Amino acid sequence: MIKNRLISSLSTIITTLLFVMGDLAAIYLVDYISADFSIGPWYNAILIVIAVAVANALLWPIFRRFLMKIIIFTFGIGSLFINSIIFYIASYFIPGVSVGIYGILQVPIMMAIATTFVTNITNTNYYDSYIKNILNYAVKQKSPYKKRYPGLIMLEIDGLSINTLKKAIDKGMMPNVKKWLDDETHRLKEWETDLSSQTGASQAGILHGNNTDIVAYRWVEKENDNKLIVSGKLSDAPELEEKISNGEGLLVNGISIANMFSGDSKIPTLTSSKLNGLANMYSKTLNAVFLDAYNFQRLFILFLWDIILELKSQLIHALKNIRPRLRRNIVYAAVRAGANVVLREVTTDVLTSEILKGDIDTAYATYMGYDEIAHHSGVEDNDVWNALKKIDFQFTKLASAIEMSDRDYKLVVLSDHGQSKGATFKQRYGMTLESYVRRLLPDDLMIFKTEYNIDHFRDAVIPENKQIKSMKEKMGNIRDGLFEEYESLQNIKEGLEKRKPPLIFENEQYISLRNRYNNSLDYIKGHESSAQSTKKAKDSELIVLGSGNLGLIYLTQWNQRLTYEEIVMLFPDLIPGLVKHPGIGFIMVNSIENGGMVIGENGIYYLDDDEIVGENPLECFGKNAPMHLRRENSFNNMPDILVNSFYDSENDEVCAFEELIGSHGGLGGNQTRPFILYPSEWKDPGELMGATSVYRFLKEEIEYLRT
């Protein structure tokens, strides 16, 4: 015991000396390279180290208390300037020291770099000392009433599929998770996302139990002047949460950290739905990040280091000619470092503080570094493993905080979706989905309507579509009103001709197509689409959006969703041209008479009655694909045409319609296969299908913990 204490004390002394030597080296270096700083006599360097340490201890708490909002609104950069002011005050009273405006910025940064370097080479865990600061802060903040029942901490690894998690564990990159599994304190279970497989839909379902009408990550509200909605946008997320929330989210008595939606938390921190602009970014919980003068300096150095790692990665990818590969610039490098370093560390500090206070019942925090890197470097590129290792280390920190807390907390780790890999649509075919769609449309929609003698359509189609909304109810379940597929229905259909919208069914284009093709599949397979000039394509009111390998095509000249029959009449080249493209697996449209139709190059899946004509276009997309598409088809603001890329099951690849080589949003591959790691004493929830099933599972366990 005495021997161990002596070894520990000696180690502490050596480490302290190394920190001092690092600071001295930084001071001498700035003195050598900067014309704006001079230490005077050599021993002044030692005095500066001592004076700065004392000044930080005395002045930093005062500055932090009165300038905290400025620090937050400047994304922490304000703390660096405060450190510079403290350094100037400390050095001002040392005779012989000369420092100018650049010097007071350079010296603190160089000292922080030296400290961070020594921390790494000595394998010193800075968090062990910083958590003591957080503990002292938390004790002052906590409620005098101690809750006896356990709380629940939910940690999300954004975008990590269960298969990639298992590979990370096998590679030794997630030792903490591996230990939980080996010790059987936790169980690992796969769950299946809804369509669309992205954070907006998943977090709405997990945190609020409702993700209805979240069509994709971004979509268009036609009836609202074609307003583009982005689920994670600060101006849109609040409105979305108002629609999906019933006040019974997972975080009613908890905290939301770095999420898209709040789960009805009254302590939302860095949560999109509650920011509603950067002016609302300040939260008292962020005090935990700035409890000493060095912590944010450390984050800033790690931020810069991650930028260097990203630039190194870009160089390696280029030299090795790794494919697929994206062009990544310095702006992306900063975004990556912000997600992978700054948000990661801030999330852990804030959550540690709340755990040590012990007042919250629940917490849900998102670690998004993996998702950001996988999008751009690749789902299982070398870059992602280190990111996952750092995230796993955060779990170690939080487990330590729970051990120190006087309240018990259970830990759950989960993901909101996975990612699927593959070169993008543009990389494979030399054009975007939007450019390809434009080739299948006329130069200008107005010209197109005039050509086919339906120039009145713009004014007439709105009232006509109000009539045809109830057309299927009037007609019953009749297969394919555009083409004659069943002779036995001919007499019935002739009797119903008067009920059909004459704008569609008496149109010359419709009559021509009906005479040329026997049925819908014959039309899909037989119609040769011709590419149009795109010189005036910008004038044809069209919006094409990508959400991973899910594409959304909106023909915005019409306020309502166009039906299959209308699209065939207006743009006969469009549907055959889409499904015959090798990058497209299937499309989904809505028919007047047949409801949802999933169309592939060689077959049609009628969703309403699960009937397949020709080959099944959903064959390789999983047994639950029809269910997901049927539900999606019922949503408001659906595109006129929903597009899903191909899925190559042999190579496990999709192709995104946005420039991301790791993608999610549609169907195919690991993007729909996230995981949940939960305490082994919990009961098995059975099959978890959709994000709302995860909500119900967690909600039930939260209620049980309170009993």
Side-chain angles (χ1 to χ4, degrees):
M1 182 69 70
I2 296 176
K3 182 180 178 180
N4 290 339
R5 288 180 180 176
L6 287 174
I7 293 174
S8 178
S9 299
L10 182 60
S11 175
T12 301
I13 292 171
I14 293 173
T15 302
T16 302
L17 288 174
L18 287 174
F19 280 123
V20 172
M21 290 172 63
D23 286 343
L24 291 174
I27 292 170
Y28 280 118
L29 179 62
V30 178
D31 177 63
Y32 180 75
I33 65 175
S34 176
D36 214 24
F37 173 69
S38 174
I39 63 173
W42 65 269
Y43 53 80
N44 274 356
I46 300 175
L47 296 178
I48 289 172
V49 172
I50 297 172
V52 167
V54 173
N56 278 333
L58 295 176
L59 298 178
W60 176 256
I62 299 172
F63 280 116
R64 188 195 72 222
R65 179 174 181 180
F66 292 102
L67 300 177
M68 191 63 194
K69 287 189 177 181
I70 294 176
I71 292 174
I72 299 301
F73 291 146
T74 58
F75 300 97
I77 301 300
S79 68
L80 300 180
F81 289 99
I82 294 173
N83 282 318
S84 296
I85 294 171
I86 292 174
F87 167 73
Y88 177 75
I89 294 172
S91 62
Y92 180 81
F93 296 98
I94 302 176
V97 174
S98 174
V99 59
I101 186 67
Y102 294 110
I104 66 174
L105 294 172
Q106 294 166 344
V107 177
I109 291 296
M110 290 304 297
M111 290 176 69
I113 292 174
T115 301
T116 304
F117 176 73
V118 172
T119 299
N120 289 333
I121 65 172
T122 59
N123 199 28
T124 301
N125 186 357
Y126 170 75
Y127 184 77
D128 285 345
S129 61
Y130 191 67
I131 196 173
K132 296 176 183 177
N133 291 333
I134 298 179
L135 179 59
N136 292 332
Y137 171 75
V139 168
K140 296 176 183 177
Q141 301 292 322
K142 69 186 303 180
S143 168
Y145 172 72
K146 178 183 175 181
K147 296 182 178 180
R148 300 293 179 183
Y149 56 89
L152 179 63
I153 307 298
M154 295 161 281
L155 308 172
E156 177 188 302
I157 306 178
D158 189 8
L160 183 62
S161 72
I162 189 169
N163 287 335
T164 304
L165 170 69
K166 290 177 179 178
K167 290 179 181 179
I169 292 172
D170 291 341
K171 287 177 175 287
M173 295 299 170
M174 305 194 77
N176 198 61
V177 171
K178 183 178 186 303
K179 184 176 186 301
W180 289 343
L181 291 172
D182 290 345
D183 293 347
E184 298 184 352
T185 62
H186 286 73
R187 293 176 182 170
L188 179 64
K189 188 177 188 65
E190 178 181 337
W191 66 277
E192 185 171 328
T193 67
D194 302 287
L195 184 65
S196 65
S197 52
Q198 47 82 29
T199 302
S202 291
Q203 283 202 352
I206 294 170
L207 291 172
H208 292 277
N210 179 15
N211 57 11
T212 302
D213 292 334
I214 298 183
V215 175
Y217 180 71
R218 52 182 72 87
W219 65 88
V220 172
E221 290 184 347
K222 276 190 170 188
E223 75 285 356
N224 190 16
D225 294 327
N226 297 318
K227 181 181 178 182
L228 177 62
I229 302 296
V230 181
S231 53
K233 193 175 180 180
L234 299 186
S235 58
D236 294 335
E239 295 181 11
L240 290 176
E241 179 163 323
E242 187 175 344
K243 294 177 181 178
I244 63 175
S245 173
N246 63 358
E248 298 180 3
L250 289 184
L251 307 178
V252 172
N253 297 308
I255 183 171
S256 166
I257 308 174
N259 301 317
M260 191 172 290
F261 301 110
S262 75
D264 296 317
S265 168
K266 296 179 178 61
I267 319 173
T269 302
L270 302 177
T271 296
S272 299
S273 63
K274 296 300 181 180
L275 285 176
N276 197 18
L278 296 178
N280 297 320
M281 188 171 63
Y282 174 74
S283 170
K284 190 177 179 181
T285 59
L286 294 173
N287 287 350
V289 185
F290 302 95
L291 295 179
D292 70 26
Y294 169 66
N295 193 44
F296 191 80
Q297 287 181 305
R298 180 183 68 91
L299 291 186
F300 184 68
I301 300 306
L302 294 177
F303 170 83
L304 296 178
W305 180 247
D306 201 70
I307 290 177
I308 294 173
L309 291 178
E310 164 57 22
L311 297 177
K312 174 188 173 185
S313 170
Q314 294 178 21
L315 180 61
I316 291 174
H317 278 67
L319 292 176
K320 292 185 176 181
N321 195 27
I322 295 174
R323 301 287 179 174
R325 184 172 77 247
L326 297 179
R327 293 185 62 184
R328 291 132 58 188
N329 55 28
I330 189 65
V331 175
Y332 162 69
V335 171
R336 162 187 154 153
N340 189 45
V341 174
V342 178
L343 278 178
R344 179 190 73 208
E345 300 294 320
V346 167
T347 295
T348 299
D349 287 349
V350 171
L351 194 48
T352 297
S353 175
E354 295 303 317
I355 289 172
L356 293 174
K357 289 178 189 175
D359 294 334
I360 58 167
D361 288 350
T362 54
Y364 194 102
T366 298
Y367 291 93
M368 58 187 69
Y370 168 81
D371 189 69
E372 186 64 37
I373 294 174
H375 275 316
H376 296 85
S377 294
V379 174
E380 293 177 0
D381 184 82
N382 286 336
D383 288 1
V384 307
W385 304 123
N386 189 57
L388 289 174
K389 186 176 182 179
K390 295 294 186 182
I391 292 173
D392 182 83
F393 184 55
Q394 308 308 304
F395 301 162
T396 304
K397 295 179 180 181
L398 295 170
S400 297
I402 291 174
E403 290 179 3
M404 295 176 64
S405 176
D406 59 4
R407 183 183 180 189
D408 185 28
Y409 281 98
K410 304 296 182 181
L411 273 174
V412 166
V413 180
L414 74 163
S415 58
D416 53 343
H417 54 78
Q419 284 202 29
S420 297
K421 63 182 181 180
T424 69
F425 188 88
K426 184 178 180 181
Q427 288 176 334
R428 293 173 186 269
Y429 309 110
M431 69 180 75
T432 64
L433 177 64
E434 179 183 14
S435 296
Y436 182 69
V437 171
R438 288 189 185 283
R439 290 190 175 193
L440 301 174
L441 296 173
D443 287 350
D444 185 286
L445 294 183
M446 295 297 292
I447 295 174
F448 175 73
K449 290 181 293 183
T450 302
E451 180 183 350
Y452 286 97
N453 195 32
I454 51 172
D455 56 321
H456 61 287
F457 185 74
R458 180 169 186 168
D459 294 326
V461 71
I462 297 176
E464 288 293 340
N465 267 286
K466 289 180 179 177
Q467 296 175 15
I468 64 176
K469 283 181 179 178
S470 59
M471 188 57 61
K472 185 174 181 181
E473 294 179 4
K474 296 179 180 178
M475 289 185 169
N477 187 21
I478 297 175
R479 174 63 62 235
D480 204 323
L482 186 60
F483 301 104
E484 304 298 342
E485 294 188 350
Y486 298 101
E487 292 183 4
S488 60
L489 297 177
Q490 183 63 39
N491 294 334
I492 298 176
K493 296 183 75 174
E494 286 178 356
L496 292 169
E497 283 291 332
K498 294 180 181 180
R499 299 187 190 180
K500 298 179 180 180
L503 191 62
I504 296 176
F505 294 93
E506 294 177 6
N507 179 266
E508 294 179 10
Q509 183 73 10
Y510 159 73
I511 295 172
S512 174
L513 291 171
R514 183 171 172 176
N515 291 335
R516 195 183 315 168
Y517 303 109
N518 295 321
N519 53 53
S520 289
L521 185 57
D522 187 25
Y523 157 65
I524 298 299
K525 297 175 69 173
H527 189 78
E528 293 295 332
S529 299
S530 57
Q532 306 290 333
S533 166
T534 60
K535 62 183 180 180
K536 295 182 181 178
K538 63 182 180 180
D539 299 322
S540 59
E541 297 172 5
L542 169 72
I543 298 177
V544 179
L545 302 175
S547 183
N549 72 320
L550 194 70
L552 298 89
I553 301 173
Y554 291 91
L555 296 154
T556 57
Q557 196 170 0
W558 294 274
N559 288 338
Q560 71 293 316
R561 181 184 181 188
L562 294 181
T563 64
Y564 167 71
E565 291 83 358
E566 291 169 310
I567 294 169
V568 171
M569 178 194 74
L570 293 166
F571 312 111
D573 292 338
L574 185 53
I575 291 178
L578 285 172
V579 298
K580 290 177 182 178
H581 192 286
I584 293 174
F586 63 83
I587 68 169
M588 181 172 70
V589 292
N590 204 49
S591 165
I592 295 174
E593 296 181 67
N594 303 312
M597 295 173 63
V598 179
I599 304 173
E601 183 177 5
N602 297 307
I604 302 173
Y605 194 120
Y606 293 96
L607 292 172
D608 282 16
D609 55 10
D610 288 316
E611 181 180 345
I612 301 170
V613 177
E615 298 177 9
N616 182 3
L618 299 177
E619 181 67 33
C620 64
F621 290 94
K623 64 178 182 179
N624 297 313
M627 176 192 69
H628 292 308
L629 287 163
R630 193 178 298 114
R631 178 175 184 262
E632 179 93 349
N633 197 50
S634 69
F635 286 176
N636 295 323
N637 301 309
M638 279 292 291
D640 300 298
I641 302 176
L642 187 74
V643 182
N644 200 97
S645 84
F646 74 86
Y647 172 55
D648 179 353
S649 57
E650 183 176 342
N651 296 307
D652 192 30
E653 289 187 353
V654 301
C655 73
F657 298 121
E658 47 190 342
E659 291 309 291
L660 300 172
I661 57 176
S663 67
H664 55 90
L667 296 175
N670 285 324
Q671 61 185 314
T672 61
R673 301 185 62 193
F675 70 90
I676 182 167
L677 187 77
Y678 62 91
S680 56
E681 66 267 22
W682 289 8
K683 66 178 182 181
D684 187 339
E687 184 181 32
L688 292 172
M689 182 62 60
T692 56
S693 69
V694 179
Y695 166 84
R696 290 191 295 270
F697 172 48
L698 293 172
K699 189 74 170 177
E700 183 177 342
E701 292 298 337
I702 290 169
E703 295 299 327
Y704 180 77
L705 288 173
R706 292 174 181 169
T707 59

